[in-house]
């Protein structure tokens, strides 16, 4: 059984925080091993984490780093493994959790220690955007350290395939549908590449945003939201038409294969979060030649955001080691090591902008200038119950292709969100 906030841990954590307040680094004092849980393995996922681990090991000679990453894009496998471990009271020392509704689930389940004192001691309250801090705060306590901001609504395209088809990068949903039809007629490329089922959910959030507009999309995540409206029907019908242009063997692969198909010229378009950039960098793809990018058509000016954050679980075996890890991921230096490799921008507001080039330079500007909409597939908008209801609904849609049934199931998922 999971235990609550124990007195013993309270004392040990207070000790850690005091040591830090006196100027000692958690890293220098801490020993043993630190187990950090995420789903960042393999192409386009691991480079940023590996660079952080290298830095951590250089700064913390006494602590062995135990990388407990579980493969599977969007945490599809990792999140189940994590939940079992948390329920069995066998937490890692720190785990990746999305800022927003997903983190609130963990907090409300009693899995997380507050990091409010850590924030005060490290001077972190001033370096994160207040709106982001709200996403990780409950009853006045802050519960995680955001390491980045990712953008979900990016349309990656292959310039050569678009040229062959004679289409321009689309900016509206209508243009997008026309472009997909033209690519299908004029080329051998897959019009829109997809991978594992979660990438269809990822596509759906972009289409909902494009079709409903930012206000309409954001309203879907308010308590009591109505998913039975004609506007949602229209959005789902658009999704259905667009989905028809995807590869039929999609479910066999994860996101990497779907994004790779764009730079290889096997697909014209892929809607994927900007972690795809990390994969493109790894395989030496060149912007302008092998790939281009625009916001998902119909969503220009809106950042469909998500944020990876790290936590201190209740009963973490090595809270001092966890704190050393959190110090690194919360620092300007740590964020600037991680994000240029991860394909994301720092959650901190004081990044060294010169390190962010090409797509990432645009992302830094867009993040400042855009309206915000939270991603549901990546934990910002929907709690785990609603997200899993949506994922089940999309799974049935992929099998049966029934749009009315999809809408009904989404209405049910919203009603069960609690
Ligand atoms: C997201 C996560 C990203 C990236 C992506 C693909 O949920 O926040 O950092 O890893 O999944 O796996």
């Amino acid at each position: 059984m999971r235990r609550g906030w124990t007195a013993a841990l309270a004392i040990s954590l207070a000790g850690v925080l005091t040591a830090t307040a006196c100027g000692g680094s958690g890293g220098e004092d801490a020993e043993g091993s630190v187990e950090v849980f995420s789903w960042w393995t393999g192409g386009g996922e691991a480079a940023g984490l590996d660079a952080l681990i290298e830095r951590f090991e250089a700064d913390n000679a006494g602590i062995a780093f135990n990388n407990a990453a579980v493969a599977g894009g969007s945490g599809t496998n990792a999140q189940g493994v994590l939940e079992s471990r948390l329920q069995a009271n066998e937490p890692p020392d720190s785990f990746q959790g999305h800022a927003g509704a997903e983190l609130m689930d963990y907090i409300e389940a009693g899995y997380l220690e507050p990091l409010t004192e850590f924030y005060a001691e490290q001077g972190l309250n001033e370096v994160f955007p207040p709106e982001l801090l709200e996403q990780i705060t409950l009853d006045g306590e802050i519960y995680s350290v955001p390491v980045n901001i990712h953008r979900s609504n990016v349309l990656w395209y292959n310039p050569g395939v678009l040229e062959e088809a004679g289409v321009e990068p689309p900016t509206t949903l209508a243009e997008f549908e026309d472009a997909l039809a033209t690519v299908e007629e004029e080329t051998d490329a897959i019009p829109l590449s997809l991978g594992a089922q979660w990438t269809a959910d990822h596509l759906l959030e972009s289409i909902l945003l494009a079709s409903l507009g930012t206000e309409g999309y954001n309203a879907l995540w308010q308590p009591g939201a109505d998913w039975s409206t004609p506007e949602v029907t229209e959005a789902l019908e658009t999704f259905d038409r667009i989905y028809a242009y995807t590869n039929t063997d999609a479910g066999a692969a994860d996101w990497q294969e779907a994004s790779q198909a764009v730079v290889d010229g096997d697909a014209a378009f892929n809607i994927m979060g900007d972690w795809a950039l990390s994969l493109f960098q790894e395989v030496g793809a060149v912007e302008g030649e092998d790939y281009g990018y625009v916001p998902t058509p119909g969503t220009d000016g809106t950042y469909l955001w998500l944020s990876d954050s790290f936590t201190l679980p209740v009963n973490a075996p090595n809270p001092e080691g966890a704190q050393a890890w959190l110090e690194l991921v919360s620092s300007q230096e740590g964020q600037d090591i991680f994000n240029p490799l991860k394909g994301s921008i720092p959650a901190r507001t004081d990044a060294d902008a010169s390190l962010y080039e090409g797509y990432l330079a645009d992302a830094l500007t867009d993040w400042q200038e855009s309206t915000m909409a939270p991603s549901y597939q990546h934990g910002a908008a929907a709690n785990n119950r609603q997200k899993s209801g949506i994922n089940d609904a999309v799974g049935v849609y992929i099998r049966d292709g029934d749009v009315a049934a999809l809408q009904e199931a989404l209405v049910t998922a919203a009603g069960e969100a609690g």
Side-chain angles (χ1 to χ4, degrees):
M1 282 293 290
R2 188 161 36 81
R3 278 173 281 150
W5 214 148
T6 64
L9 181 63
I11 291 162
S12 94
L13 191 65
V16 172
L17 296 172
T18 310
T20 308
C22 296
S25 133
E28 280 157 25
D29 301 339
E31 290 179 343
S33 68
V34 63
E35 186 190 21
V36 174
F37 187 98
S38 75
W39 56 86
W40 294 331
T41 69
E45 299 272 44
L49 178 61
D50 288 347
L52 275 182
I53 295 173
E54 196 177 308
R55 185 57 198 234
F56 181 87
E57 287 175 336
D59 289 351
N60 297 278
I63 314 178
F65 192 93
N66 176 3
N67 180 0
V70 173
S74 190
T76 36
N77 304 322
Q79 286 176 339
V81 174
L82 177 65
E83 186 60 38
S84 311
R85 288 189 57 174
L86 294 172
Q87 281 181 17
N89 190 25
E90 287 167 5
D93 294 304
S94 185
F95 66 84
Q96 171 192 1
H98 290 121
E102 181 186 306
L103 196 80
M104 293 301 153
D105 277 349
Y106 293 128
I107 302 170
E108 281 161 10
Y111 292 148
L112 298 184
E113 294 293 352
L115 292 167
T116 318
E117 278 182 53
F118 174 80
Y119 266 69
E121 282 155 9
Q122 301 288 319
L124 298 178
N125 291 305
E126 294 73 37
V127 297
F128 290 105
E131 300 81 2
L132 183 57
L133 289 180
E134 263 172 43
Q135 302 291 325
I136 54 173
T137 300
L138 190 68
D139 297 336
E141 302 278 9
I142 305 178
Y143 283 91
S144 71
V145 171
V147 65
N148 68 358
I149 304 290
H150 266 307
R151 187 172 194 175
S152 162
N153 58 324
V154 186
L155 178 71
W156 305 96
Y157 63 86
N158 181 292
V161 175
L162 264 55
E163 198 183 321
E164 188 192 340
V167 301
E168 293 293 322
T171 60
T172 64
L173 278 175
E175 283 177 18
F176 188 30
E177 287 193 55
D178 284 350
L180 290 166
T182 309
V183 168
E184 187 165 71
E185 273 161 36
E186 303 293 334
T187 77
D188 293 333
I190 298 162
L192 179 63
S193 59
L194 269 195
Q197 194 217 292
W198 74 263
T199 67
D201 288 284
H202 186 98
L203 172 65
L204 176 61
E205 70 180 18
S206 252
I207 303 303
L208 285 172
L209 175 63
S211 183
L212 296 169
T214 309
E215 219 176 293
Y217 173 90
N218 285 345
L220 290 179
W221 312 106
Q222 298 309 313
D226 185 4
W227 285 68
S228 68
T229 62
E231 289 78 14
V232 173
T233 309
E234 192 185 328
L236 296 178
E237 281 168 354
T238 305
F239 171 70
D240 182 52
R241 289 194 304 277
I242 288 175
Y243 184 78
Y245 292 104
T246 63
N247 39 319
T248 48
D249 61 351
D254 209 325
W255 69 266
Q256 286 93 342
E257 289 86 345
S259 296
Q260 177 84 38
V262 168
V263 293
D264 287 348
D266 294 334
F269 297 107
N270 174 230
I271 289 182
M272 186 43 59
D274 45 13
W275 45 88
L277 181 75
S278 173
L279 177 69
F280 298 163
Q281 289 174 169
E282 248 171 78
V283 300
V286 177
E287 184 185 321
E289 284 177 30
D290 302 313
Y291 69 92
Y293 56 87
V294 285
T296 297
T299 70
D300 192 16
T302 300
Y303 218 95
L304 187 51
W305 70 271
L306 58 122
S307 171
D308 295 305
S309 70
F310 281 93
T311 57
L312 176 62
V314 169
N315 290 328
N318 184 356
E320 293 90 349
Q323 164 147 346
W325 170 249
L326 295 176
E327 275 184 31
L328 176 62
V329 299
S330 65
S331 67
Q332 184 201 22
E333 190 191 7
Q335 302 216 344
D336 280 342
I337 290 174
F338 177 77
N339 286 297
L341 292 168
K342 183 65 169 70
S344 41
I345 56 171
R348 287 180 67 120
T349 51
D350 57 356
D352 176 356
S354 70
L355 299 171
Y356 298 84
E357 296 171 345
Y359 167 82
L360 288 176
D362 285 350
L364 269 182
T365 311
D366 285 357
W367 172 243
Q368 295 304 323
E369 295 175 356
S370 298
T371 311
M372 297 300 144
S375 157
Y376 78 76
Q377 177 56 27
H378 306 283
N383 62 21
N384 283 331
R385 196 170 339 141
Q386 184 174 10
K387 178 181 148 188
S388 108
I390 298 173
N391 291 170
D392 289 349
V394 171
V396 173
Y397 162 78
I398 289 172
R399 198 188 61 206
D400 299 343
D402 184 339
V403 177
L406 172 61
Q407 184 164 11
E408 265 171 46
L410 295 176
V411 170
T412 307
E416 285 171 354

